Amino acid sequence: MKRMLALLIALFLLFSSAAYAEGTGDVNVDAGGGGMDAAQGGNSWSPGSDGVRVSIIKESTKRPVTTPVDYSNRSNIDIEISFYPRCKLNYRQGSSLSLLFNEYRSTKPNTPLPNIISPNGSTNISAIKTYFGQEGTIRDICTKADFDFNELVSGQYVILIEPMIYLKYNGVMRAMSATEAALFDRLTNGDLKAKMGLATHQNLPLAMFLERGELGFPAWSGATSGVQSDSDIIQALGLGTIRFSEIPPEETPGGGSADYTYHTDTDVITTVEVYDTSGEGISPDDNASITFRIGGNTYRKPFVTPPGDSTPLWIKWHTPSTPQNIEITVSTTAGRLSASSITARIASLEENTPPDPTPRDPIPGLDTPERFRLPRLPSQPEKKTATWGEWIPWWQENLVWISDLEWVEGTETEPGYWEDNGHYEDKGWWEYDWQSYSASLRAEAVVTPADEVPTAYRHVYNGWTMKSGYGINIQVTTTTSSSGRSDDYTKAQNVMAFFPEFEYQTYNRLLEHRTEGIRPAFQLRVNEWSWAGARSHYTPYWYPDEMRYEPQMAVFDVWTPGGQLYCWVTDHVTIDNGSVYDDWNVVPGLGDHEPF
């Protein structure tokens, strides 16, 4: 599952960080915890008295664009004291605690939350990732927050999730996030921690922390059990994220390196920005250049920048064939860099192969094929176009006459005069035109019955029909068009397929190149369960008649200076007229007996 999450960031996360998780969102969260205190006096917490706070954050500004919404499986009508609803980013940006009395409200989600805070450190982090990564949960969040779903998954926003705890402190029921607990503990001079330490300073903050740094918060590398300090909680604990795009380069707290994620053995493009700091521009006369040092290789490019402006600079390179971290250093002879050190995480891309189908396979959550309902095709974010550019310098000629006067003596008949022996000098200057480039991605999928299906037929209007239990073939053809140079972009390099019988989750098949060239085409790899070495995916024996069988394919690892392009394509066959067993008869052997 972690491989799936890492991949579909890359995309989607897919796509660093670029690589999505189950459903729609890539969930960045891990958890720890430990034991709990026995109730003492008016101070107690009961397992299950928890929830989450959800805020939608604009990636570019790192500021919330919605009021936080709290979700809980309990009614919370007994909460007497809470704080004005703010998210962790609000507090980092200077907001202070504001008490509310008998005004706390939480929402019961349509699907109950998994346990968020563990009393013994055994948080089911897989269940939490699955719950918050699925499309239904994210659509519910959009509905409650009054935010457009398609806008949310456009790649410009991140969902921030924070664990909430409902506890009794000094005899009063209260609601608080991990950050609010740490800030409140400071106001009480440590009394909250003294009385509720394992609940508020261990299990609550360690219920969620980042696996990788995002939104200016670092990945947590400290202990995953034990009472945590107020400072560590405020800086790095009690949060997770859901994103819908590749992870962009991001400065770590305090400045420093940026972070990309790529896949092994692929062509990629790394981009930085150079800013003019002189106010006079960086002209061709300056002979400025930028240098990338990647894995022992050095890449150098010249550049120019108009006065007070900036320019993107990029390099195309090939990643290693094994997972690892690569430190990229960037230097420039002029201007200021957006990042001088980049950590490139090189992740392996592996399929989670579906199990060998058998006639006794259970129908997911059901007992008969008649009760099976085709899952809705997930609505996936896409990025099919990108733009970038460069400054093209040209010289604005301005010829100025430079005088050089010399007196010429006169004669008896001609008077003297001044003769100008000057010359023209070009007092011109550099002008800059912005040259814009673009790239676009198109893909087409074709799903057909496997060659060995004897009873498949094709209707002129409705496409292919076949019986269940047989295999299908998948071919995806891609086209990347660009106005840029060949070194400015890559063609599609990876395709992954997901299937309806698994609700487009969990299992997948990684396609391989069928043809290279201008329009790379991809096909299924040889199926390890096929005795004949077929490039097929086998449909379930139980799949109902008169139902579409429609895989969904992710096309990704198309890199440009303007980011990664990725898209989703589908095609289908119709399952009908029974199963593979209806095409075969099994009869006893006659042995040595003569036929009748």
Side-chain angles (χ1 to χ4, degrees):
M1 185 57 66
K2 282 194 173 182
R3 290 200 301 265
M4 283 282 295
L5 291 168
L7 157 69
L8 293 174
I9 243 160
L11 301 175
F12 312 167
L13 104 59
L14 186 247
F15 280 23
S16 136
S17 166
Y20 278 63
E22 301 175 0
T24 301
D26 172 49
V27 184
N28 175 12
V29 66
D30 205 344
M36 60 182 290
D37 293 312
Q40 297 181 6
N43 305 289
S44 63
W45 171 69
S46 301
S49 295
D50 57 27
V52 292
R53 174 164 292 170
V54 177
S55 310
I56 298 176
I57 311 300
K58 185 71 176 289
E59 173 74 45
S60 60
T61 63
K62 294 182 174 55
R63 292 184 177 276
V65 294
T66 61
T67 300
V69 177
D70 291 358
Y71 292 86
S72 176
N73 295 331
R74 48 171 279 165
S75 63
N76 290 317
I77 59 175
D78 58 344
I79 300 299
E80 299 174 65
I81 295 179
S82 60
F83 303 100
Y84 183 86
R86 294 187 172 103
C87 72
K88 195 175 183 76
L89 280 165
N90 291 134
Y91 291 117
R92 187 179 69 182
Q93 291 158 2
S95 296
S96 57
L97 296 174
S98 299
L99 285 175
L100 295 176
F101 298 91
N102 298 308
E103 293 186 29
Y104 183 78
R105 298 291 183 271
S106 62
T107 297
K108 281 190 175 182
N110 295 331
T111 302
L113 293 167
N115 287 337
I116 301 299
I117 303 175
S118 169
N120 55 20
S122 59
T123 300
N124 189 343
I125 195 63
S126 177
I128 291 175
K129 285 185 173 182
T130 299
Y131 182 90
F132 286 102
Q134 60 192 2
E135 181 179 342
T137 298
I138 295 167
R139 286 188 178 273
D140 289 344
I141 290 171
C142 287
T143 299
K144 185 63 179 177
D146 194 23
F147 199 86
D148 182 73
F149 174 82
N150 292 324
E151 177 72 6
L152 175 65
V153 301
S154 67
Q156 301 179 59
Y157 300 91
V158 177
I159 293 180
L160 174 64
I161 50 178
E162 301 175 66
M164 295 291 297
I165 194 169
Y166 309 111
L167 53 81
K168 183 175 288 188
Y169 169 65
N170 288 343
V172 178
M173 284 299 299
R174 304 169 189 257
M176 59 187 72
S177 68
T179 304
E180 289 169 341
L183 293 170
F184 186 61
D185 184 59
R186 288 178 173 177
L187 294 178
T188 64
N189 294 318
D191 186 68
L192 179 66
K193 183 192 296 185
K195 294 176 178 176
M196 303 293 302
L198 293 184
T200 60
H201 285 68
Q202 175 184 252
N203 297 334
L204 170 61
L206 292 174
M208 291 184 183
F209 51 82
L210 297 179
E211 290 183 302
R212 59 180 180 272
E214 286 196 65
L215 298 176
F217 296 103
W220 178 245
S221 58
T224 56
S225 64
V227 173
Q228 306 299 310
S229 69
D230 291 333
S231 177
D232 282 345
I233 294 171
I234 294 168
Q235 294 296 324
L237 293 172
L239 79 157
T241 63
I242 312 168
R243 70 162 48 250
F244 312 92
S245 67
E246 63 193 87
I247 300 179
E250 178 175 44
E251 291 185 357
T252 56
S257 66
D259 188 33
Y260 285 84
T261 294
Y262 303 117
H263 294 126
T264 55
D265 198 25
T266 60
D267 288 328
V268 299
I269 291 177
T270 300
T271 305
V272 297
E273 195 89 5
V274 177
Y275 302 86
D276 170 46
T277 55
S278 67
E280 298 178 357
I282 302 170
S283 76
D285 298 331
D286 297 316
N287 294 317
S289 64
I290 186 173
T291 301
F292 293 83
R293 292 179 175 85
I294 307 173
N297 296 315
T298 299
Y299 309 86
R300 185 173 287 106
K301 294 181 69 172
F303 70 93
V304 297
T305 301
D309 217 316
S310 66
T311 185
L313 294 166
W314 57 91
I315 194 68
K316 183 178 181 180
W317 57 287
H318 196 80
T319 63
S321 59
T322 57
Q324 57 189 277
N325 282 355
I326 291 182
E327 295 299 323
I328 301 173
T329 60
V330 189
S331 59
T332 179
T333 60
R336 176 178 60 85
L337 287 165
S338 60
S340 59
S341 178
I342 298 171
T343 299
R345 184 165 56 252
I346 312 301
S348 178
L349 184 61
E350 300 177 11
E351 72 174 39
N352 192 9
T353 310
D356 185 16
T358 71
R360 298 181 178 85
D361 285 344
I363 305 168
L366 303 173
D367 50 12
T368 64
E370 290 75 18
R371 296 179 59 193
F372 175 75
R373 295 292 180 267
L374 188 66
R376 183 171 60 180
L377 201 67
S379 175
Q380 305 285 10
E382 297 181 309
K383 182 178 180 180
K384 295 182 179 180
T385 62
T387 60
W388 66 94
E390 63 180 340
W391 293 107
I392 305 299
W394 58 276
W395 183 256
Q396 175 60 64
E397 187 179 70
N398 181 27
L399 296 178
V400 177
W401 179 261
I402 307 299
S403 295
D404 183 11
L405 297 176
E406 183 178 350
W407 176 255
V408 178
E409 294 290 341
T411 65
E412 292 181 356
T413 59
E414 296 290 339
Y417 61 92
W418 290 99
E419 183 176 80
D420 193 344
N421 295 318
H423 62 279
Y424 281 102
E425 286 189 9
D426 190 349
K427 298 290 187 178
W429 56 88
W430 287 103
E431 294 282 359
Y432 304 85
D433 290 335
W434 178 253
Q435 177 63 57
S436 180
Y437 306 105
S438 65
S440 62
L441 170 65
R442 291 185 293 112
E444 180 183 9
V446 177
V447 176
T448 58
D451 295 339
E452 64 270 18
V453 185
T455 53
Y457 63 92
R458 186 173 187 177
H459 191 278
V460 64
Y461 298 113
N462 300 325
W464 285 101
T465 296
M466 57 179 276
K467 297 178 180 180
S468 64
Y470 282 112
I472 60 166
N473 292 337
I474 300 174
Q475 179 171 313
V476 175
T477 304
T478 68
T479 303
T480 305
S481 304
S482 178
S483 59
R485 297 174 289 266
S486 60
D487 280 344
D488 292 350
Y489 67 98
T490 72
K491 298 181 176 66
Q493 297 172 86
N494 281 301
V495 177
M496 184 168 279
F498 301 85
F499 305 100
E501 67 268 35
F502 307 115
E503 298 186 347
Y504 302 103
Q505 302 177 27
T506 310
Y507 297 107
N508 57 78
R509 293 286 303 278
L510 186 62
L511 279 63
E512 65 182 6
H513 274 92
R514 182 174 183 268
T515 59
E516 302 280 356
I518 298 175
R519 302 182 66 212
F522 298 80
Q523 63 185 358
L524 288 170
R525 298 180 178 188
V526 172
N527 192 317
E528 63 180 275
W529 308 119
S530 170
W531 61 270
R535 297 178 180 276
S536 302
H537 170 76
Y538 294 103
T539 61
Y541 293 89
W542 52 261
Y543 209 82
D545 281 352
E546 300 182 2
M547 188 169 287
R548 290 161 64 109
Y549 186 86
E550 186 171 14
Q552 186 179 42
M553 279 66 70
V555 180
F556 56 102
D557 276 332
V558 183
W559 289 95
T560 77
Q564 182 183 192
L565 305 184
Y566 45 90
C567 67
W568 295 81
V569 291
T570 66
D571 191 29
H572 74 278
V573 297
T574 300
I575 302 296
D576 202 6
N577 302 320
S579 74
V580 60
Y581 288 115
D582 296 308
D583 288 342
W584 301 93
N585 293 319
V586 179
V587 299
L590 296 175
D592 296 330
H593 298 283
E594 295 293 329
F596 295 108

